[in-house]
Amino acid sequence: MSGSAHRFGPRGLRRGAALTLVFGCALATAAATGSLPQEPDPGTGPQTRAVSSTVAPVDRDEIEDAAAEAEADGKSVKDAAEEVVSRSGDRWGAVYDQREYEEFEQALDGTYTGIGLSARRTARGDVTVSRVQAGGPADRAGIRAGDLLRTLDGRAVGKRPVAEVVALLRGDGTGAAEGSRVRLGLVRDGRSWTETLERARLTTEAVTVRRLGAEPASAVLIKVAAFTKGAGADVRDAVRDAPDGAGILLDLRANSGGLVAEAVVAASAFLDGGLVATYDVRGDQHALYADPGGDTDRPVVVLVDGGTMSAAELLTGALQDRGRAVTVGSPTFGKGSVQMPSKLPGGSVAELTVGHYRTPGGRNVDGRGITPDLVVRERAQQRAETVLSGLGGGS
């Protein structure tokens, strides 16, 4: 990879003389829902994150001046900075206080404070538990996937957005920390009960690997939930450990992004060097390159959907444009703009859109997403496995 580090998602920050950029993912939402975020190696140069927005860049001096004035007047630095960002029309520009930023950093490390469950809304409008993390507080309390979540600390979940519900479970914005308690009202098979859980520091499993059959050369499914630190190496190791002749089904569905450096490492598992992406920051052009020596022989199918964002789109675009993989699923989200974070007085951080990235073929992903080679909206994994088998990758 080129000499600078980057990240797609979370919040970069200046560390000493190092410039931190962010190639975006909706980290706040991703962290809240448990589909964690992203980001690169701090302190080694620019870091970036991709986000979708086409607006005139916010003047960084303006936001820093507003923050300094607010601090001098004893007012909220965050509120003053948010007002400037709001006026700018930058859809993905945002301001975070020190605690929120620390949570984002922890999320990029693959850790978070919570009770270890993810949620989704059903077709009937109910909020249901979609996944329970093994060994977490929810798992130890006997909560299962499929349980309905009716109340949270005595308040009806109702029509709250799922991201907001999970953020409340984690205690985001309430000052809740490890050891704090949350009371859940649950329903299973018509039986209602209440469970009080203590939040804990949990580690997410960003990459999971399993065989798709019992034969020696059965295809290998590599599911990447987010590009947190170490995810790229996990993908590389899974490819290296796959049986000879086995194809790879790389599942990037619902991957909200992460560290750009990690996405580049993952790309390097399938490429023998060469371009992964280009990006501009305030008019200056930069490029990201794969390391040489990747596996260029075994068949690869990449599975994507509308939840595939930022760093995950960067990887998808690289493998598609380089002719290294067949992509299957539904069009991706379309987060392809670059944001630069600035540290403000009191520890707040402002992220402002400053540029965009492009695939090796020069495609601008921002606001457009990536259209798979085979568009499939139902039974996508089954279709992807069929395609992989047709490429000689096993079944």
Side-chain angles (χ1 to χ4, degrees):
M1 132 161 213
S2 60
S4 53
H6 312 74
R7 94 177 177 190
F8 256 75
R11 328 308 176 173
L13 179 61
R14 297 177 192 165
R15 305 168 187 271
L19 173 65
T20 305
L21 299 180
V22 203
F23 259 154
C25 105
L27 179 54
T29 299
T33 59
S35 47
L36 286 194
Q38 42 258 337
E39 168 165 309
D41 221 357
T44 56
Q47 301 180 12
T48 34
R49 131 176 169 210
V51 247
S52 90
S53 172
T54 42
V55 297
V58 182
D59 187 316
R60 189 168 55 188
D61 291 338
E62 180 183 358
I63 198 168
E64 291 178 349
D65 288 347
E69 183 177 343
E71 184 182 43
D73 292 342
K75 298 179 180 178
S76 168
V77 169
K78 182 182 178 183
D79 288 350
E82 284 179 335
E83 183 177 348
V84 175
V85 172
S86 177
R87 288 201 309 267
S88 75
D90 184 346
R91 178 186 174 191
W92 296 101
V95 183
Y96 306 95
D97 63 29
Q98 186 172 11
R99 180 181 175 276
E100 290 169 337
Y101 182 77
E102 289 171 353
E103 287 288 329
F104 297 149
E105 292 286 277
Q106 291 168 352
L108 290 178
D109 285 333
T111 65
Y112 69 102
T113 298
I115 59 173
L117 64 76
S118 298
R120 65 180 180 86
R121 191 172 295 282
T122 68
R124 296 176 54 187
D126 297 319
V127 175
T128 185
V129 175
S130 59
R131 184 180 61 85
V132 177
Q133 183 169 333
D139 182 40
R140 294 195 301 270
I143 296 173
R144 304 175 194 165
D147 290 343
L148 299 182
L149 180 60
R150 294 300 195 196
T151 62
L152 210 168
D153 287 333
R155 294 175 293 176
V157 169
K159 300 297 182 182
R160 290 178 184 269
V162 172
E164 181 182 336
V165 171
V166 183
L168 290 170
L169 290 171
R170 290 166 51 88
D172 292 346
T174 66
E178 182 177 358
S180 61
R181 295 185 175 187
V182 59
R183 190 172 75 260
L184 311 182
L186 299 152
V187 178
R188 179 192 303 162
D189 298 330
R191 179 179 67 88
S192 301
W193 83 102
T194 300
E195 208 65 71
T196 299
L197 306 178
E198 284 192 3
R199 296 182 178 94
R201 176 58 58 185
L202 302 172
T203 300
T204 61
E205 192 173 18
V207 179
T208 54
V209 183
R210 68 179 177 89
R211 300 282 291 278
L212 290 174
E215 299 300 319
S218 294
V220 174
L221 171 65
I222 303 175
K223 168 67 176 176
V224 187
F227 286 104
T228 52
K229 291 180 181 177
D234 287 344
V235 171
R236 180 193 60 208
D237 292 346
V239 173
R240 288 178 178 173
D241 293 342
D244 292 341
I248 300 294
L249 179 55
L250 182 63
D251 188 352
L252 300 180
R253 291 175 297 177
N255 183 318
S256 57
L259 303 177
V260 169
E262 299 297 338
V264 172
V265 171
S268 300
F270 305 100
L271 300 171
D272 186 15
L275 187 64
V276 173
T278 60
Y279 65 96
D280 64 275
V281 177
R282 299 190 186 279
D284 293 332
Q285 302 299 312
H286 305 268
L288 299 168
Y289 296 95
D291 292 329
D295 187 328
T296 59
D297 294 325
R298 69 174 78 239
V300 180
V301 170
V302 179
L303 191 54
V304 298
D305 66 7
T308 304
M309 305 182 191
S310 81
E313 290 176 290
L314 178 145
L315 173 57
T316 301
L319 297 182
Q320 187 182 54
D321 281 9
R322 296 282 301 274
R324 185 59 190 93
V326 175
T327 53
V328 177
S330 51
T332 64
F333 185 87
K335 271 185 178 287
S337 61
V338 180
Q339 292 181 307
M340 178 184 295
S342 297
K343 188 174 182 179
L344 303 176
S348 294
V349 176
E351 282 194 350
L352 311 173
T353 300
V354 296
H356 299 81
Y357 83 88
R358 289 174 173 77
T359 68
R363 289 181 293 166
N364 182 359
V365 175
D366 192 53
R368 303 174 184 178
I370 294 173
T371 300
D373 300 310
L374 176 61
V375 176
V376 179
R377 300 188 185 278
E378 295 182 1
R379 303 171 69 184
Q381 182 169 328
Q382 183 177 347
R383 294 290 299 277
E385 291 180 24
T386 301
V387 171
L388 187 57
S389 178
L391 295 173
S395 58

